[in-house]
């Protein structure tokens, strides 16, 4: 649920990532159910081997998992990267646009300062020339 202090881009990103998270979760649930036995009443029973394996994985820190188990986690994390790349690219574009606006603004200010300095130099030269006539 969005909060009042979140910007639109944050809310949009949360929604995009939440859709991926739901897809990831749904795929996991399909996998879990595919390993379970469906009982007569429609409930499911998780086989002992799965309970043991998943319990071990739950209790194991990531850095202690097997490479195959880490690869499985990496594949899941990779689901997020297309959106993250897009968001980073958009942030870079917005940052460059802002930098360009700032450069244009300061260029105009610097030009105004240069004109003022040129006017002061012209005035000083004119005063010096007047002084030298006496």
């Amino acid at each position: 649920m969005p909060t009042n202090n979140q910007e639109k881009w944050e809310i949009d990103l949360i929604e995009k990532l939440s859709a991926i998270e739901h897809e990831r979760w749904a795929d996991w649930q399909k996998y879990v159910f595919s390993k379970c036995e469906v009982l007569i009443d429609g409930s499911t029973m998780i086989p002992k081997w799965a309970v043991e394996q998943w319990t071990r994985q739950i209790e194991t820190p990531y850095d202690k998992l097997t490479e195959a188990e880490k690869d499985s986690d990496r594949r899941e994390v990779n689901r997020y990267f297309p959106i993250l790349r897009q968001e980073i690219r958009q942030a870079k574009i917005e940052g460059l646009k802002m930098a360009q606006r700032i450069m244009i603004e300061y260029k105009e200010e610097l030009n105004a300062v240069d004109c003022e300095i040129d006017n002061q130099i012209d005035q000083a030269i004119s005063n010096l020339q007047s002084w030298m006539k006496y």
Side-chain angles (χ1 to χ4, degrees), residues 10-92:
E10 291 176 300
I11 295 167
D12 291 345
L13 181 58
I14 288 168
E15 288 303 304
K16 291 175 187 175
L17 294 174
S18 295
I20 292 171
E21 177 57 22
H22 177 72
E23 180 183 286
R24 187 208 57 75
W25 172 84
D27 287 347
W28 170 247
Q29 293 306 309
K30 288 176 197 172
Y31 174 75
V32 168
F33 287 134
S34 76
K35 302 302 177 188
C36 294
E37 178 185 339
V38 179
L39 303 177
I40 294 172
D41 67 357
S43 61
T44 57
M45 181 176 65
I46 301 174
K48 181 179 179 184
W49 70 264
V51 172
E52 290 170 351
Q53 178 181 327
W54 297 336
T55 300
R56 180 191 57 77
Q57 289 172 327
I58 289 168
E59 294 171 353
T60 303
Y62 174 80
D63 64 339
K64 302 290 190 226
L65 294 173
T66 67
E67 278 305 307
E69 291 167 330
K70 288 179 183 179
D71 283 344
S72 176
D73 288 344
R74 292 175 187 126
R75 280 191 301 278
E76 295 305 315
V77 168
N78 276 319
R79 292 179 182 224
Y80 296 90
F81 272 83
I83 287 177
L84 295 174
R85 279 189 202 100
Q86 177 185 351
E87 292 296 320
I88 291 168
R89 188 177 303 116
Q90 187 61 40
K92 285 180 181 178

